[in-house]
Every structure is written in structure tokens, then in C-alpha cells.
């Protein structure tokens, strides 16, 4: 029992210990349930509810995650990693560069990328090496998708990654407690309108300068 408990600790400050297959499944179920419930109810959703959604006991949740901030840390890593996977897959599998961008943007909605801003609240170490590495990978993946669309002559040249991420975040940011039960069904429709506005030739001149992710970090 002691060995099982030791291998199930989160290990945020060091290398992640190798988990048994059943423990790994439980960990992934907890992270998935946390992502869903935090999007639905906000970051302060009771941990009991997360455990219930994951189909595990409270003790199992706490064996994997020391506290709420630890869980939020790994939920954030999960969202960023899965979103980067989506960007890389879209670029590798789509022959049309702008279609790859379209596919990524719609996929980012499914990964609830708009939920990251509310999760990264006070107390979360935004400069943790794991988060910095995940952020750099995500930024590079999105830059590659946009760069390919731009090089193909289909993406207007006066936008940058920051512009894209602001739009995705604003269009997909969760509305916990708002009662907008049908909100999600409009998201892909509105994203498609936004994507149409990114294509060349541009129909208008945008005010200001293209926003990078560094601009967003500097102003936050």
C-alpha cells in the first residue's frame, strides 16, 4: 500500500513518477472531470463533485493531487497539451493550409481553451517550468498553422497569434451560472464567421497592430 501511495503522488516539483495502469486511468479521469466541471461551474467547483464525476473516491483524488491549485495546474497542462496536439495534427494531415487553420480553431473550442484564463487565477504559478514549456509548445504549434496559411496567401498578414487567441477565448469563454444552456451550439457558427474574416483579400484595415502572445502576457 505504501508503494502504491508513493507512486501516485503528483510530483509537480520533480519528475512525474510512473503510475500503474489503473492509477494512470484514474488520474486521467480526474483531470478530464475537473476540466469539464471547472468549465461548467468555475474553478471553485467542489472537489467532491469532481471526484464524483470521475467515478472515484475523494481519497483517490487527494492521492493524485495535493490540493485545488495542484489540480488546476495539471488541468491547465492537459488543455494546453491537447490543444497543441490538435494544431500539430491539423497541419500534418490537411493538404490545404487554411483548412488546417479552420480545423484547429474549431478543435480548440472542443478542448475548452477559453477556460484557461479563469483557471489561471491568483495562486497559480504561471512561471512554473512545466507551464512555460507547455505554453511555448502551444505557441509554436499555432504559429506553424498560421504561418502555413499565411505563406499560402490565404491568411491576411495583419494578424498574429495573439489576435487569434483573443478571438477564440472571447468566443468560447465559459459562462458559469449564466443559465445559457444552449450557448455552445452557437460557438462553431460564430467561429466560422470569424474565420471568414481572416481570409484574404482583407475587406478592411484593422486598427492598431497585430497582437502577439507576448503582448497579451505583458498587458495581463
Amino acid at each position: 500500500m505504501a508503494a502504491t501511495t508513493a507512486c501516485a503522488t503528483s510530483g509537480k516539483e520533480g519528475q512525474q513518477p510512473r503510475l500503474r495502469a489503473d492509477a494512470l486511468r484514474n488520474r486521467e479521469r480526474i483531470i478530464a472531470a475537473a476540466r469539464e466541471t471547472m468549465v461548467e461551474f468555475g474553478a471553485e467547483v467542489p472537489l467532491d463533485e469532481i471526484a464524483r464525476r470521475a467515478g472515484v473516491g475523494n481519497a483517490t483524488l487527494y492521492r493524485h493531487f495535493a490540493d485545488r491549485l495542484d489540480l488546476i495546474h495539471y488541468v491547465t497542462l492537459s488543455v494546453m497539451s491537447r490543444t497543441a496536439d490538435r494544431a500539430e495534427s491539423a497541419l500534418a494531415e490537411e493538404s490545404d493550409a487554411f483548412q488546417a487553420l479552420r480545423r484547429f480553431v474549431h478543435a480548440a473550442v472542443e478542448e475548452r481553451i477559453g477556460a484557461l484564463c479563469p483557471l489561471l487565477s491568483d495562486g497559480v504559478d504561471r512561471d512554473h517550468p512545466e507551464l512555460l514549456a507547455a505554453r511555448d509548445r502551444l505557441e509554436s504549434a499555432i504559429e506553424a498553422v498560421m504561418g502555413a496559411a499565411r505563406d499560402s496567401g490565404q491568411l491576411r498578414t495583419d494578424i498574429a497569434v495573439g489576435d487569434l487567441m483573443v478571438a477564440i477565448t472571447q468566443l468560447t469563454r465559459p459562462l458559469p451560472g449564466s443559465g445559457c444552456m444552449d450557448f455552445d451550439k452557437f460557438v462553431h457558427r460564430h467561429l466560422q464567421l470569424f474565420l471568414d474574416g481572416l481570409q484574404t483579400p482583407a475587406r478592411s484595415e484593422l486598427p492598431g497592430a497585430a497582437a502577439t502572445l507576448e503582448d497579451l502576457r505583458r498587458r495581463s
Side-chain angles (χ1 to χ4, degrees):
M1 178 66 71
T4 301
T5 302
C7 77
T9 55
S10 67
K12 190 167 76 172
E13 298 305 323
Q15 186 174 1
Q16 181 71 35
R18 179 170 296 179
L19 300 175
R20 296 183 331 192
D22 58 341
L24 182 59
R25 284 194 297 270
N26 282 340
R27 183 181 180 83
E28 291 173 345
R29 286 162 63 186
I30 292 168
I31 291 174
R35 185 171 64 243
E36 293 172 3
T37 54
M38 287 178 180
V39 166
E40 187 174 349
F41 300 111
E44 296 304 314
V45 61
L47 297 184
D48 292 355
E49 174 61 18
I50 294 173
R52 187 190 69 78
R53 289 276 189 104
V56 302
N58 290 357
T60 299
L61 187 151
Y62 282 110
R63 276 200 298 271
H64 286 279
F65 305 100
D67 52 30
R68 182 181 302 276
L69 289 179
D70 192 33
L71 180 54
I72 289 174
H73 172 87
Y74 285 101
V75 167
T76 304
L77 284 177
S78 174
V79 172
M80 294 171 79
S81 175
R82 288 165 59 96
T83 305
D85 288 345
R86 298 273 201 151
E88 291 166 356
S89 296
L91 186 58
E93 296 170 8
E94 296 292 341
S95 58
D96 182 271
F98 200 87
Q99 179 56 32
L101 179 61
R102 287 186 187 276
R103 172 172 157 178
F104 163 68
V105 169
H106 285 285
V109 175
E110 300 303 323
E111 294 300 337
R112 303 293 194 172
I113 191 72
L116 286 181
C117 288
L119 291 184
L120 293 174
S121 58
D122 293 341
V124 175
D125 183 5
R126 301 187 187 198
D127 295 322
H128 190 283
E130 289 179 329
L131 287 177
L132 292 177
R135 187 186 72 193
D136 288 345
R137 181 193 167 210
L138 177 59
E139 184 172 351
S140 295
I142 300 172
E143 288 275 16
V145 173
M146 294 184 69
R150 191 180 295 112
D151 291 345
S152 73
Q154 298 179 80
L155 177 66
R156 56 191 298 167
T157 59
D158 55 351
I159 65 163
V161 174
D163 296 302
L164 183 68
M165 297 312 293
V166 165
I168 294 175
T169 299
Q170 292 299 318
L171 286 170
T172 64
R173 191 156 183 166
L175 302 173
S178 68
C180 294
M181 299 303 293
D182 296 325
F183 177 76
D184 284 352
K185 75 179 184 180
F186 298 108
V187 170
H188 289 285
R189 179 179 176 86
H190 293 165
L191 282 174
Q192 195 67 30
L193 289 170
F194 165 70
L195 285 162
D196 286 349
L198 297 186
Q199 290 187 282
T200 55
R203 300 186 61 136
S204 64
E205 181 176 346
L206 296 176
T212 65
L213 290 187
E214 184 58 35
D215 291 331
L216 302 185
R217 289 193 288 270
R218 191 162 51 238
R219 294 167 188 170
S220 61

